[in-house]
């Protein structure tokens, strides 16, 4: 699933986007921010269901390709309406190439491959571990992120939640190890990508929409190359899988990011990033209700523990930056 870019990126965001230090003034909108927050949660929560449906007819690389293509198309349309150009400079595009690989190409492909063998609900819960990986990595890679007892407790609690979801006391029986590992690896890609972005693109001129649109454009080229090498062109385009891929890209990877930018400027990154904690709940509900996926008691209990742990890892000292 695709996640927010903020003026000051946070490692709790589950998905990709380049970001800048440029801040913008919130634009008035007729729709209350709470309704947009709920809509954004639903869109990103349903992303895992859309991936699952897409893989019924298309190869995982093709699902990822359609996702970034339609996402890029949506954001480039926004730029065209705004009469805003793409970023310039070979150095910037070189960094965007790496960011696209870490934040789009790799995780989107990994999630699609994972959902060939695991439920969409489990993929959504694995996605929620991204803040846990991010906290662990940031302690090493980012000097401004200092360890605290609360954050260490959150890290331990979060991974305890993962073990609960997977049923560790039963020897992980009934869980596809490969698919789960791919989904967890996908969630690990995001904080690695965010650390890279914070080190290389944080002060790059341009709006988040321009940088993210460029990033998705680069990812489209990457996945077009990979798909041409490792998959065969589809011979048919079934209705529901095709619509799922289009919606996954245009809504979940394109317009949802634009909606997130509006929330960030209106209510701030701290409140806007809370959407992260609703995604696994909606992903699980959608998978069970619409795809008939089985739900055992340890799945919602473990997911709740993961989310509590993730929230604790984002806790800061009172004197620290509010939106860090």
């Amino acid at each position: 699933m695709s996640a927010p870019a903020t003026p000051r990126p946070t490692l709790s965001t589950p998905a990709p986007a380049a970001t800048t230090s440029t801040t913008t003034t919130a634009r008035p909108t007729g729709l209350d921010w709470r309704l947009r927050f709920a809509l954004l949660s639903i869109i990103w929560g349903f992303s895992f269901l859309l991936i699952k449906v897409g893989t019924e007819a298309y190869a995982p690389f093709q699902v990822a390709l359609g996702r970034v293509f339609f996402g890029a198309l949506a954001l480039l349309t926004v730029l065209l309406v705004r009469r805003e150009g793409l970023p310039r400079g070979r150095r910037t595009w070189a960094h965007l190439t790496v960011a696209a690989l870490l934040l789009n190409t790799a995780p989107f492909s990994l999630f699609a491959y994972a959902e060939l063998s695991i439920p969409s609900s489990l993929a959504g819960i694995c996605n929620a571990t991204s803040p846990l990986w991010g906290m662990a990595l940031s302690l090493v890679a980012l000097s401004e992120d200092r360890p605290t007892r609360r954050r260490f407790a959150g890290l331990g609690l979060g991974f305890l939640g993962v073990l609960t979801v997977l049923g560790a006391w039963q020897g992980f029986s009934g869980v596809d190890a490969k698919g789960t590992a791919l989904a967890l690896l996908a969630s690990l890609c995001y904080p690695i990508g965010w650390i890279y972005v914070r080190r290389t693109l944080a002060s790059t001129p341009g709006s988040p929409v321009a940088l993210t649109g460029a990033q998705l454009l680069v990812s489209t080229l990457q996945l077009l190359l990979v798909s041409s090498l490792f998959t065969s062109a589809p011979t048919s385009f079934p209705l529901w899988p095709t619509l799922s891929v289009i919606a996954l890209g245009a809504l979940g990877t394109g317009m949802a990011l634009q909606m997130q930018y509006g929330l960030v400027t209106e209510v701030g990154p701290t409140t806007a990033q809370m959407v992260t904690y609703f995604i696994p709940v909606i992903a699980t509900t959608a998978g069970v209700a619409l795809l008939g996926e089985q739900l055992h008691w340890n799945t919602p209990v473990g997911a709740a523990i993961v989310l509590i742990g993730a929230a604790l890892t984002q806790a800061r000292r009172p004197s620290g930056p509010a939106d860090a």
Side-chain angles (χ1 to χ4, degrees), residues 90-258:
R90 282 185 291 182
R91 186 179 181 86
T92 296
W93 281 91
H95 289 315
L96 285 172
T97 300
V98 178
L101 176 64
L102 293 172
L103 292 170
N104 304 105
T105 302
F108 289 1
S109 300
L110 288 169
F111 271 125
Y113 268 103
E115 291 198 41
L116 291 177
S117 56
I118 66 172
S120 64
S121 55
L122 179 55
I125 293 170
C126 288
N127 181 78
T129 66
S130 186
L132 305 177
W133 297 118
M135 182 265 184
L137 290 171
S138 67
L139 294 178
V140 176
L142 299 174
S143 59
E144 68 268 25
D145 284 321
R146 302 299 183 186
T148 64
R149 291 182 181 178
R150 177 177 294 183
R151 299 184 76 195
F152 273 125
L155 186 62
L157 189 63
F159 284 110
L160 176 63
V162 173
L163 295 177
T164 303
V165 170
L166 300 180
W169 64 92
Q170 305 175 87
F172 304 105
S173 61
V175 176
D176 184 85
K178 181 180 178 181
T180 304
L182 290 175
L184 291 172
L185 182 59
S187 72
L188 174 60
C189 288
Y190 293 134
I192 294 175
W194 274 114
I195 289 174
Y196 181 83
V197 165
R198 291 176 68 172
R199 288 184 176 275
T200 61
L201 290 167
S203 58
T204 302
S207 72
V209 177
L211 284 170
T212 306
Q215 182 178 301
L216 291 176
L217 189 60
V218 172
S219 181
T220 298
L221 296 177
Q222 292 174 344
L223 281 164
L224 186 61
L225 175 62
V226 172
S227 296
S228 65
L229 291 175
F230 297 103
T231 67
S232 301
T235 56
S236 62
F237 298 89
L239 179 62
W240 290 114
T242 301
L243 290 179
S244 294
V245 172
I246 293 174
L248 181 65
L251 294 178
T253 308
M255 297 313 297
L257 287 174
Q258 177 66 15

Side-chain angles (χ1 to χ4, degrees), residues 53-65:
V53 175
T55 56
E56 292 177 358
Y58 302 108
F61 280 135
Q62 293 169 348
V63 172
L65 172 60

Side-chain angles (χ1 to χ4, degrees), residues 16 35 137 177 194 238 243 261 284 287 299:
L35 294 177
L137 290 171
W194 274 114
L243 290 179
Y261 302 147
T284 299
T299 300

